[in-house]
Amino acid sequence: MNAGVEWALHSCLNLAWTEPGETVTATKLAAFYDLPAAYLNKQLQALAKAGILTSNSGPRGGFRLARRPEDITLLDVVTAIEGPEEAFRCAGIMRHGPGGRADIDYRKTCAVSQAMHRSELAWRRELAAQTIADLKDVVERAHPYVPERTRTHLANL
Amino acid sequence: MNAGVEWALHSCLNLAWTEPGETVTATKLAAFYDLPAAYLNKQLQALAKAGILTSNSGPRGGFRLARRPEDITLLDVVTAIEGPEEAFRCAGIMRHGPGGRADIDYRKTCAVSQAMHRSELAWRRELAAQTIADLKDVVERAHPYVPERTRTHLANL
């Protein structure tokens, strides 16, 4: 999995801690964790394209969450960065085996493909059951000072 | 995910349908689905290293299942081919954020890392709950002729 997923999730969390309506530039979001700004910007653009972030251009431009943290699941973020393809990509090798047919979509009929698909669904279900708000709560319960420290740190970058 | 996972699972299934004690060469297992033999051989060696297959050298050499199909889970096969690493590899970017520390293992403490880990566990649990015997049953229920056809096809390659 792309390192961008880790960057994207942490950046969404940082944006969840900014004041409502406030935007943060890609440069600041990258500097927060000493990440390469150009590459993080690509991930942020992917999040914007997926409707997770809103991007404003101009001198006071930057990124903010496009919806409430409760309404952004980890699956939304992972899919925005990694794409919707499954990790197991059935190449339909049964097509070349005995009785194989070119007109069958083996992703739908092959026992191997379906078992792998079922496993990925379990992963996606778990990602879909967790939101940015959940992560935010976990962090704030353990470290109540983090929201304020994040805002201060972003302001001073 | 490596295409070798698909090849390995289908090859395990084909070996589950051979007569007890019979071995099948990498060349035949590859020819079954028109796969590149040298590359499939690498996957078969990885399965042998993981204790899923037994490999015999010599003129009548080849591969067979090292244990009963009931005792080979999809997780065993995926791990043998893909390695034990998680797809989400926490790079610990928090180390470079405010309050970040070099002596903390963020895989164990970071909310993002733990949420991603929890999701992968759901995937692994599902893979571990399915065995080669389960796949075999699914195929045989839908297509009772497959075991015999597989043996005949392998014998004629």
Side-chain angles (χ1 to χ4, degrees), chain B residues 42-57:
Chain B
K42 276 191 193 169
Q43 320 300 329
L44 298 170
Q45 296 292 350
L47 294 176
K49 201 175 157 199
I52 296 168
L53 302 185
T54 299
S55 123
N56 296 338
S57 50

